[in-house]
Every structure is written in structure tokens, then in C-alpha cells.
Amino acid sequence: MTDTPPPAFQHSLKPHLTRVGLALAFVLALGTLVRRSDFDYAITHAFNAKRSDTVATIVDSIYLGLQVPYSIYLLLGCALLVGLVYSKTRMGLLFLLTVALAWLPIPLIKALFSRPRPDMSTMENPSGIVPTDLSFPSGHTAFVSALAIALALALAPYVRRRYRYPLVALAMLTIMVVVMTTGVHFPTDTIGSMVWALAATPAIWAILTRPPASPTPATTQPRAAH
């Protein structure tokens, strides 16, 4: 007697789940390393030093524009776009759920490591933005990364890869520069968020949009000869 092979989607999910496990291990290891350290503060300080009046207007506007409730409006707008492109409300809801689930562990990881924010008082151009939560990993970076990745995945049938990948990279690089120039995050905070989003977002999207398992065809048993 032979075992019934698992549905095809289970095979396709295995690499995703492996990457999620590796990403989680990386984030936990990085969090343990940086929880009581500011060894990468000099990088944040260097970015903040470039915060001229023009740069400040741009980066502060982006940062504050990603605060609640504006981040929710942005997420809902992207979900509406996905729903309209597919002409299916369900796809918009799956997009929204993908971003939400990818971001959801971030506050828990913040609480686990309790890394303090960079010391704004020692920066050349303090922004006046004083976040009330913890530093590692970056919630803004996780949200923007998950949003960009999920949008690229959702629009894959309609937008070529050569356009999608650079736009995702641009979104992630932009938010990394923004949070360091405002002086509210260390670079390792953003790296942890990016690694997590790059692994978790495709996995969640794959799970939520997987096709239903095909029913196993009944096996016809040969009749015994009389």
C-alpha cells in the first residue's frame, strides 16, 4: 500500500515556512545582540547630520504620514486598488490581511527585547519626533516593507518583475533612510524588520491565496476472481 501524496500547495509552502523560521531565528539573535547596545548609533547620527531644512520637511512628512490613522488609510487604499484590479473584494481583503499579519509580531518582538530609542539629545539635528514605543525592530520599516512586498505579489500577474522588484527595494530603502534621518531608529532596527518582512509576507500571501486541495481520486480495487 502506498501513501497518498500531499497536495501540491504543501510542497510550495515548505520553502516559505523554512525562510520564515530562518528569519525569525535571525531577528531573535539580532535582538539579543542589540537589546542593550547602541554600537550602530554612529550610523544614525551620520544620517541625522544630513537633516537640512529641506531634507527635514521630506523625511518628517513621510514619517508622520505613516503614523496611525494615516497608515491605515494607506493600507485600505492599497487593498481597494488590489480589489479593483482583480474585480474581487476577496483579493483586496487577502492583501489587507497579509500586511496586517506580517506586521503583527513586531510589537511583541519590541516588548521582548525592550531596546531603547537612539538618544535624540546627542544628535546634531533633533527632529522633535519622540516615539513612545521601543526601538527594535522598526514598526515603520516593517509596515512599509510588508505593504510594498504584498503589493508586488498581488500585482504580479499585471506588472512585470523588472518594475516590481526595484519599486519594493526603493520603498524599503526610503523608509530606512527616513527613520534614521529623523533619528528615531538604529540601522539594525530596520534590518531586523526588513528580514522579517521579506520572509513573512510572501509566506502569508502564499498561505492565504493557495488553491484548495484537489480531491484524491478514488482508487478502483480489482475484483477477486471466482
Side-chain angles (χ1 to χ4, degrees):
M1 187 174 81
T2 59
D3 293 333
T4 303
F9 72 82
Q10 291 186 9
H11 293 294
S12 64
L13 286 182
K14 189 173 181 180
H16 286 297
L17 298 178
T18 300
R19 284 190 286 269
V20 169
L22 292 173
L24 180 59
F26 175 84
V27 172
L28 294 177
L30 183 60
T32 302
L33 175 67
V34 305
R35 63 185 304 175
R36 294 292 179 265
S37 173
D38 61 353
F39 70 92
D40 50 344
Y41 171 79
I43 300 176
T44 297
H45 188 276
F47 272 87
N48 179 258
K50 303 297 182 182
R51 191 175 176 273
S52 64
D53 290 342
T54 302
V55 172
T57 300
I58 296 172
V59 298
D60 290 2
S61 297
I62 294 174
Y63 184 87
L64 295 173
L66 291 168
Q67 298 278 64
V68 175
Y70 307 111
S71 58
I72 296 176
Y73 300 154
L74 176 60
L75 177 58
L76 292 175
C78 291
L80 178 61
L81 172 64
V82 172
L84 290 174
V85 167
Y86 281 90
S87 298
K88 293 180 180 179
T89 303
R90 175 178 175 272
M91 294 304 294
L93 292 175
L94 292 181
F95 169 85
L96 191 155
L97 191 57
T98 297
V99 178
L101 290 176
W103 179 86
L104 191 61
I106 299 300
L108 302 178
I109 300 174
K110 281 179 179 284
L112 176 64
F113 294 111
S114 301
R115 188 187 196 187
R117 294 275 181 166
D119 186 356
M120 192 73 72
S121 66
T122 61
M123 294 188 185
E124 292 186 29
N125 301 299
S127 64
I129 297 174
V130 184
T132 57
D133 60 345
L134 298 162
S135 195
F136 178 89
S138 166
H140 276 66
T141 305
F143 174 76
V144 170
S145 299
L147 184 73
I149 295 166
L151 200 57
L153 292 169
L155 299 181
Y158 305 97
V159 181
R160 293 182 179 180
R161 180 181 299 181
R162 65 181 179 181
Y163 300 123
R164 289 184 286 120
Y165 285 6
L167 288 174
V168 169
L170 178 62
M172 295 173 69
L173 179 61
T174 298
I175 191 59
M176 182 180 190
V177 170
V178 165
V179 297
M180 288 196 295
T181 305
T182 55
V184 296
H185 276 296
F186 300 98
T188 44
D189 298 338
T190 66
I191 292 171
S193 293
M194 289 178 183
V195 169
W196 172 252
L198 284 168
T201 311
I204 295 168
W205 178 254
I207 292 170
L208 294 179
T209 60
R210 72 187 188 273
S214 301
T216 304
T219 304
T220 304
Q221 298 291 340
R223 294 184 178 182
H226 293 286

